[in-house]
Amino acid sequence: MNIHEWQAKELLSAHGVAVPRGAVATDASQAAALAESWGGRAVVKAQIHAGGRGKGGGVKLAASPAEASAMFEKMLGMTLVTPQTGPKGRVVRTVYLSETVDIERELYLSILVDRGSARVSLLASTEGGVEIEKVAAETPQKLFRLAIDPATGIGPHHARDVAAALGFHGEVFKQFQGFLVNLYYLFIKMDCSLVEVNPLVVTKSEAVLALDAKIALDDNALGRHPELAKLRDPHEESPEEVEAGRFGLNFIKLDGNIGCMVNGAGLAMATMDIIKLCGGEPANFLDVGGGASEEAVKNAFGIILRDPAVKAVLVNIFGGIMRCDIVARGIINAAREMDLRVPVVVRLEGTNVEEGRRLLAESGLNLRVAEDLGSAALAVVAAIA
């Protein structure tokens, strides 16, 4: 789960990580008052879950309270398009103002989960404020990597190594070590999957600050952090994903036109792979789970069919705990309620499979039953060719 910059900075500050003063403004007069309280200048920042906001006009420097007020009014409600939003952009519903900082150096720092090595990976670079992917590809020598065993955690030697790699000396060297340790403890304590500070800045007065921050939280750990679950912004997620979450379904919107309904994450990924192998493009990842009810299947099917990009649907169910006849009834009920207008290919296998196939065949709907996954994928791709 991603959170906004202003929320990330509140978490950083609460864990002893230094950030510039800032606040969310609710109206133009408050934006002006905030700038006034910081000496008349402020950075006005649109809050969306996407990087590259500055390139799209979502980060502006106000030289006066009047400018801060005008920028707030222009920014609130605008559709911000960045390299990460795609051409449709995102609507700005929150505007955050921050005090200006006299920057001496800009750097990059992040902590993330490296699932391949089962370690916490720490990345740092002297090239802050730019696209770190470009740095890694073109000048990898400028990217410092450090693996930390989560069982033992971060130690003083780790902090010293990173500080040295960033070229810190004297008071900044000492200050950064505490900054990094606190950042790591936030990462572990809050069950984060990513904490990124870009840019990490050193001011002319030798203060180390997180000028901008991005935090991604592990959804699976939100049960331990009800206070963090409240930070979710449904406006920044696709409506289908929000609806699926209410039904306890695992759904991710993709860019293709073949809807997928599968039980089990591994089988769902294999289904998407074979669709692509056959020349098609999946429109979504949807895992209804191993023991979904008829109602859950019906809800899942409805979410898929309401997507205007979907031109055909592939249902791939292995009935172990889930019975195939229950799946069939869920599909039939959803299709009848939603006036099915796209071809649907269904592959069922497992418990009560013959009954499930019989129900589908006798439904009178535009449903094709496939014997195996290969023929199902070929059939659904051919249906929209």
Side-chain angles (χ1 to χ4, degrees), residues 28-38 65:
S29 62
Q30 187 180 10
L34 287 169
E36 183 70 35
S37 70
W38 299 324

Side-chain angles (χ1 to χ4, degrees), residues 2 6-7 34 36 46 54 67 71 86 93 126 164 174 197 218 238 247 273 301 331 351 357:
N2 292 324
W6 70 270
Q7 297 167 322
L34 287 169
E36 183 70 35
E67 275 195 9
M71 289 175 180
R93 293 179 169 83
T126 55
K174 296 177 184 177
V197 177
D218 185 348
S238 75
F247 297 134
D273 285 344
F301 204 60
I331 294 171
T351 306
R357 290 173 179 173

Side-chain angles (χ1 to χ4, degrees), residues 72-94:
F72 173 91
E73 289 190 322
K74 184 177 181 180
M75 205 170 284
L76 187 66
M78 72 180 287
T79 298
L80 180 58
V81 179
T82 81
Q84 293 186 14
T85 64
K88 291 184 178 181
R90 300 273 181 85
V91 176
V92 177
R93 293 179 169 83
T94 306

Side-chain angles (χ1 to χ4, degrees), residues 258-261 271 275 312-316 345-347 373 376-377 380:
I258 297 177
C260 304
M261 186 177 79
T271 302
I275 287 174
V313 179
L314 173 57
V315 179
N316 183 22
V345 178
V346 184
R347 181 257 182 171
L373 180 53
V380 77

Side-chain angles (χ1 to χ4, degrees), residues 380-385:
V380 77
V381 171
I384 56 175

Side-chain angles (χ1 to χ4, degrees), residues 4 9 42 53 76 84 88 122 132 145 157 188 190 197 199 272 279 299 321 331 336 352-353 359 366:
H4 289 294
K9 284 184 172 177
R53 290 171 294 163
L76 187 66
Q84 293 186 14
K88 291 184 178 181
L122 191 151
I132 196 63
R145 302 172 184 266
H157 60 292
I188 297 298
M190 295 291 116
V197 177
M272 293 189 296
N299 290 331
I321 299 173
I331 294 171
R336 284 174 174 164
N352 288 3
V353 63
L359 290 169
N366 186 19

Side-chain angles (χ1 to χ4, degrees), residues 18 114 141 235 273 289 305 333 358:
D114 184 349
Q141 69 276 10
H235 295 111
D273 285 344
L305 290 178
N333 290 337
R358 184 190 66 78

